[in-house]
Structures are given as structure tokens and as C-alpha cells.
Amino acid sequence: MMQWILPLGFILAGLLAGIIAEKIVFSKLKTFVFRQRLPGSEILFRSLQRITFTWFVLGGFYGAIRAYRSLIPDIAEVLQTILTIVFLYSITLVIARLIAGFVRLYSRKTQGVSASLLSNLATTTILILGTLIILQTIGVQITPILTTLGIGGLAVGLALQDTLANLFSGVYLIISKQVRTGDYVKLEDKHEGYITDITWRNTTIKELSNNVIIVPNSKLASAIFTNYHLPVKEITLTINVGVDYDSDLEQVERVTVEVAKKVMQEVSPELIENEPFIRFHTFGDSSIDFTVFMRVNEFFDQRIAKHKFIKQLHKRYQEEQIKIPFPIREVYTQANQTKNGNGVLTPE
């Protein structure tokens, strides 16, 4: 019985140290670092979550095995190998979390929203490399495994052509930056919305009505679509207006530009240096028509900008007594007509 006391002591010490490290030391250190707002600290602590407890427990079991090694050497050797595998896998998991976290951080800084495809690919790659290193460490020859995987990969590739096509199409979309998470796109079938994620299989598009459109990556890569956030998010909003023929066009231009500036100040003040302007272009059936040009931050802002502009312009035109005429068409007829010898109507 005495021979078990020291191994059990190591195990209990490892458990106790792991609990203290995880619940007290790790928690307080995380709070302190977060207050300092150090870059990348959140990713680091998220990667180490529950890993420190695992390492202390593994240390306790390793001490127990070393203390009891002389009694059962064969079993101790097997247990030590298992602990080595678990320890190396935990390191691999930490590295995978770190790399995936920094990939998401980079994507968020460059695109606004991170795409899960890149972080998942990074995690999968690190886990595969870590597994191969673990096998090599414990004495397993990985060359035959790699050969088998290479041959099997051909068969799997043929069987999963559609899946691989979506995977590589997703990678192509991200690398080419034709679409990015957070972009507003309009597909050729008239569906439109914000891209919320690009996974290994499909791209998720969220409509303004909160409906979600799922598009396979291969379909999106070959589709004709409009990206309203490229080359920049800012867009020019165009609104067609018509005024009465009796209107003073100089006054119309001055009043309309003033209203457009006021709307831009409310919706997109950072773009106010791009002054709005109007261009007359048509003598219509009942009005002189022109187009108002004004800049807004992104595609979605044009809705609220147009809403505000129409309300304020209508009110200002009423104050300035500028008329927006109803569509009118004058039709002239002749009441007294007779048919001539050729059957054509002529006035009497």
C-alpha cells in the first residue's frame, strides 16, 4: 500500500496545481492582460484555455509513472508513450488555435469579417502536420503512410470532385479578392445581400430581409455578379427629378444642391467634401428632368439617403414654390370630319 502513496501524491498534486493555475492564476492573468489591451492577447489566452490544466495533470501522471517505474517497467513505458502523445497533441492544438486566430484577425482587419474557410484550412493543416510529427516521435514510420495517402488521395479526389471544386473555388474567391466577407453583392438571378461567410463548400449571403442564400463556391466563382463594395464601398446615388417648365432652373439647382448637402451631412458626413451636383438632361412631356448625384458610404446607405432626400426636397420645393408637375399630355382632336373619296378623314 505504501508504494502507491507517492504516485497518488504526484497525481493529486498535478490535479490541484492544474485547478489553481486554470481557475486562479490563468483567470487573473487574463484579466490583467485584457486591461492592457495588448494586441493578440485574446487569441493567446483563448488558445491556452484548459490547456494549462491538462499540462499540470500530465505532469502529475508523469511524476507518478517515474515514481512507480521500477515496479511495472513495461506498463510504465506504455503509459509514458501515451502521455507523450497527449502532450504533443496539446501543443499541436495550441499552435493550431493560435494560427487560426491570427488568420481570423488578419481577415477581419483586411475584410471587416473573417472567412471561416482560411482558418479551418490553417487548423486542419497544423493538425495533420502535428499528427505526422507525433507518429514520427513515437517511432512510427510515416513514409508508408504518406505513400498510402497519396495513392488514396487520387481515389478520394475522383469520388469528391464536386466537394474539391467548391473547396478550391472558395480559396480562389478569397485569394483573388473578387468577393470578401462583408461585401454587398447582387447575383445574376437578382438575389442580393451581404456575404457573411465563405466555407469549404459554399458562400453564405444574407439578404436585407434576413433571409440566407446558400451558393456553392463553384457556382459563385463562375457566376456573373455585381460587387457594390469594389473597388471601394462608397457609391454615387442617382435620383431623377422633374420640375415645371415655368420654374427658374438656377433656383432649382441651388435649392436641390442645398438639400442634397444637408442629407449627405446626416447620412455620410465624412464624404461631404464630394459635393453633390445636378445635371439637366431632358425636356419631358410635362417637366424638365434632371438627375441628382450624391455620394454615400455604401450600398445600403442609399436607401435611407433617398428616403431623407425625397422628404426634404418635397418640403423645400413647397417652401420655394417650385412645382413638381403631374404627368400631363395634351391631345388635340377635330370634331367635324368627313371622308373623302379615298376614305381619308378630312375637316368639313
Side-chain angles (χ1 to χ4, degrees):
M1 185 64 183
M2 297 296 295
Q3 63 200 24
W4 290 94
I5 294 179
L6 187 57
L8 288 175
F10 275 111
I11 294 174
L12 292 175
L15 288 171
L16 182 60
I19 293 173
I20 294 174
E22 183 74 23
K23 299 296 184 180
I24 300 177
V25 179
F26 187 81
S27 179
K28 290 186 176 181
L29 183 61
K30 180 170 66 174
T31 303
F32 173 76
V33 173
F34 282 1
R35 287 176 180 174
Q36 305 301 318
R37 295 183 180 180
L38 298 177
S41 58
E42 183 179 354
I43 298 174
L44 176 61
F45 281 98
R46 187 178 298 171
S47 302
L48 292 173
Q49 189 173 9
R50 297 188 180 88
I51 298 297
T52 53
F53 173 77
T54 302
W55 286 342
F56 276 104
V57 171
L58 290 176
F61 275 98
Y62 182 77
I65 292 172
R66 296 293 296 180
Y68 204 63
R69 185 181 183 88
S70 59
L71 299 176
I72 44 174
D74 295 336
I75 297 178
E77 190 70 29
V78 174
L79 292 176
Q80 189 170 336
T81 301
I82 293 174
L83 292 180
T84 302
I85 293 173
V86 175
F87 177 70
L88 291 177
Y89 181 78
S90 67
I91 293 178
T92 302
L93 187 60
V94 170
I95 296 174
R97 288 178 177 178
L98 282 172
I99 293 178
F102 282 112
V103 168
R104 284 193 295 268
L105 180 63
Y106 175 77
S107 300
R108 193 176 294 114
K109 284 185 176 181
T110 55
Q111 303 180 22
V113 184
S114 63
S116 61
L117 174 59
L118 292 180
S119 59
N120 290 339
L121 281 177
T123 301
T124 303
T125 302
I126 296 301
L127 290 177
I128 291 174
L129 292 176
T131 301
L132 294 176
I133 292 173
I134 291 171
L135 293 176
Q136 185 73 29
T137 302
I138 63 176
V140 177
Q141 294 296 323
I142 63 173
T143 302
I145 296 176
L146 294 176
T147 304
T148 304
L149 290 176
I151 297 174
L154 295 175
V156 173
L158 292 174
L160 302 176
Q161 290 185 20
D162 292 340
T163 301
L164 292 177
N166 286 321
L167 174 62
F168 289 116
S169 295
V171 174
Y172 167 75
L173 287 172
I174 294 175
I175 294 177
S176 65
K177 296 184 178 181
Q178 292 180 348
V179 292
R180 303 163 299 180
T181 49
D183 285 357
Y184 192 94
V185 298
K186 184 175 182 180
L187 306 180
E188 55 186 337
D189 57 2
K190 305 304 181 182
H191 288 297
E192 59 183 87
Y194 287 96
I195 294 180
T196 57
D197 196 9
I198 301 175
T199 67
W200 61 273
R201 186 177 182 276
N202 52 55
T203 298
T204 305
I205 301 175
K206 187 176 183 180
E207 295 182 307
L208 297 179
S209 59
N210 276 339
N211 296 324
V212 174
I213 304 171
I214 307 297
V215 183
N217 292 333
S218 58
K219 297 290 185 181
L220 185 62
S222 59
I224 298 175
F225 60 88
T226 303
N227 190 334
Y228 289 98
H229 282 186
L230 288 180
V232 292
K233 287 186 178 182
E234 296 85 2
I235 67 170
T236 300
L237 170 62
T238 59
I239 304 175
N240 294 318
V241 187
V243 294
D244 191 83
Y245 271 91
D246 293 332
S247 302
D248 182 349
L249 297 188
E250 294 294 336
Q251 180 191 21
V252 169
E253 182 174 9
R254 176 180 58 80
V255 171
T256 305
V257 170
E258 288 177 0
V259 173
K261 285 182 179 180
K262 183 178 178 182
V263 172
M264 283 188 64
Q265 189 66 46
E266 296 175 1
V267 178
S268 52
E270 59 274 15
L271 300 178
I272 196 63
E273 60 183 19
N274 301 297
E275 293 192 359
F277 59 93
I278 73 172
R279 291 293 182 266
F280 294 98
H281 55 74
T282 305
F283 288 104
D285 293 335
S286 57
S287 63
I288 298 178
D289 300 328
F290 61 91
T291 301
V292 182
F293 300 88
M294 52 191 297
R295 299 284 287 177
V296 292
N297 288 320
E298 62 164 315
F299 181 83
F300 182 74
D301 287 345
Q302 68 176 339
R303 296 172 182 267
I304 186 63
K306 186 178 294 187
H307 167 77
K308 287 178 174 292
F309 178 77
I310 291 176
K311 286 179 59 179
Q312 296 184 23
L313 186 67
H314 181 259
K315 182 179 179 180
R316 185 69 184 278
Y317 275 7
Q318 287 181 330
E319 295 173 353
E320 300 287 341
Q321 297 182 348
I322 299 175
K323 293 182 180 180
I324 301 177
F326 295 103
I328 298 174
R329 176 170 296 180
E330 295 183 358
V331 180
Y332 297 91
T333 61
Q334 292 180 341
N336 299 319
Q337 293 179 331
T338 59
K339 288 185 178 181
N340 59 18
N342 296 323
V344 180
L345 290 174
T346 59
E348 292 182 353

